[in-house]
Amino acid sequence: MKKFSLSSLVAASVLFSSSGIAETAAQHYRHLTAAQIFSADNTYLETGWYSLDSDGSGDDPDLSNANFVGSYYFGEIGDTWRPFVLGGFGFSKITQDHVDLGSGELGDVKLDATYAKLGGGINVNPSPEISLILGASGLWMRNDGDYSGTDAAMEHYFGHDSDTALYDLFAGALYHTQINGYKPYAKATLHYLSIDYDFDLADNEGWSTDLGAGVYTPTLTSWMDLPVRAKFYLAATFLDDELSDVTGFDHAYHAGASLLWKVGPLIPIFDNAFKDTELTFNLQGTTGDNDLKGWKASVSFSIAKF
């Protein structure tokens, strides 16, 4: 099991040299921005607040973000081939006080980000119970850095604006059925990810796997004469060595509940295309290795597939 260290990739023997401190600051920047963009992606840590164990590099970093994501599936539910597009935008912040990379306290850092996501792919439904997906997306994040301290290397990485991007190629499978009005499901998605940093820092590439299972309920109530149903689920995320080295965790577990409101009829002019659209309100708790913990509260907008 990895121990989350925001400076673990730098040997202790060089921490006290000027080049060593600069390299350690660079690695610290990579750790914080990688964890931040994973929280922004709304596939991994997702919208919410998270605390990360910093293992001796100062006060534990705090992550928070809020975003709105949506997807649109062309065609009708039950069609064998359904192209889709997805997108979103949001805001993120990561803060850490009393940063100490091995040579004494270096001050406080804060990264305020805005970001946008865009992607798409194809959804294939070979049978009523099985759904396959293949797609790609990009997420671009602009950070406004704020550094309170006197270290030149920390000022270079954390005291200026910077850009980070996450590129995602993904493929997945979903099985779902219906039992007495309830709709259980199980799914698995494999991602090949590339994180592109600013300041000419080397990219990080690697694999991640998402697993999930849950159940949709029948209609529970109505709001504005439109049906509301619920979803309860468990999920897990696993990262390979390269990605976990820069994000600070290699696995995370999630449990959550959602309310799904069928809002399509509120848009009469688009009723034919949007009649199956649901607005989802979600609450989720997360825990993982290296003291990863947190919660999310999110809103999403999608064409219901089942």
Side-chain angles (χ1 to χ4, degrees):
M1 189 67 63
K2 296 176 180 65
K3 180 60 178 173
F4 180 27
S5 171
L6 295 179
S7 55
S8 61
L9 301 182
V10 181
S13 61
V14 299
L15 281 175
F16 295 98
S17 69
S18 58
S19 61
I21 293 174
E23 185 175 353
T24 308
Q27 295 293 356
H28 198 61
Y29 170 82
R30 285 157 60 94
H31 278 291
L32 294 190
T33 54
Q36 186 180 27
I37 202 168
F38 264 66
S39 75
D41 187 53
N42 210 52
T43 302
Y44 304 97
L45 300 186
E46 301 198 357
T47 303
W49 170 88
Y50 299 90
S51 176
L52 300 172
D53 173 18
S54 58
D55 191 25
S57 64
D59 287 359
D60 294 351
D62 284 330
L63 282 168
S64 61
N65 74 302
N67 57 23
F68 186 89
V69 296
S71 58
Y72 180 77
Y73 287 76
F74 296 91
E76 299 292 333
I77 292 177
D79 289 352
T80 302
W81 296 86
R82 299 188 72 193
F84 67 90
V85 293
L86 57 87
F89 63 93
F91 312 91
S92 180
K93 176 185 292 186
I94 187 166
T95 60
Q96 185 182 19
D97 298 331
H98 312 299
V99 178
D100 186 340
L101 304 181
S103 58
E105 186 178 323
L106 299 175
D108 308 332
V109 298
K110 180 173 68 173
L111 297 172
D112 286 307
T114 57
Y115 52 87
K117 181 178 181 179
L118 185 64
I122 186 73
N123 169 229
V124 184
N125 300 283
S127 74
E129 294 83 21
I130 297 175
S131 181
L132 307 176
I133 194 169
L134 179 66
S137 68
L139 189 151
W140 299 271
M141 184 171 70
R142 178 68 168 172
N143 252 316
D144 177 11
D146 184 10
Y147 170 62
S148 174
T150 59
D151 182 78
M154 292 290 291
E155 172 65 26
H156 175 73
Y157 291 107
F158 292 99
H160 300 87
D161 293 347
S162 61
D163 298 297
T164 310
L166 177 69
Y167 302 103
D168 183 1
L169 298 175
F170 57 89
L174 168 71
Y175 174 79
H176 57 92
T177 187
Q178 183 167 326
I179 304 172
N180 296 327
Y182 290 85
K183 298 180 178 181
Y185 70 89
K187 62 180 180 179
T189 307
L190 181 66
H191 303 262
Y192 184 74
L193 302 165
S194 177
I195 307 175
D196 183 6
Y197 299 95
D198 213 336
F199 303 113
D200 295 322
L201 296 174
D203 298 349
N204 280 111
E205 298 179 350
W207 296 90
S208 95
T209 303
D210 293 320
L211 303 175
V215 61
Y216 290 84
T217 71
T219 298
L220 299 177
T221 186
S222 63
W223 187 21
M224 298 176 63
D225 295 325
L226 297 173
V228 177
R229 60 177 179 162
K231 180 178 74 169
F232 302 94
Y233 64 91
L234 298 172
T237 299
F238 301 94
L239 306 182
D240 72 2
D241 288 348
E242 183 171 353
L243 291 177
S244 63
D245 282 343
V246 295
T247 59
F249 70 95
D250 57 23
H251 64 267
Y253 303 107
H254 322 285
S258 307
L259 288 177
L260 301 91
W261 180 34
K262 191 172 182 178
V263 298
L266 293 178
I267 319 171
I269 192 172
F270 297 122
D271 186 49
N272 185 52
F274 288 87
K275 60 185 177 182
D276 295 308
T277 297
E278 288 181 311
L279 187 63
T280 301
F281 304 90
N282 191 63
L283 289 175
Q284 174 182 291
T286 293
T287 186
D289 62 327
N290 304 315
D291 290 342
L292 169 66
K293 57 182 179 293
W295 58 268
K296 75 160 190 167
S298 62
V299 177
S300 62
F301 183 75
S302 64
I303 303 299
K305 290 184 290 185
F306 64 94

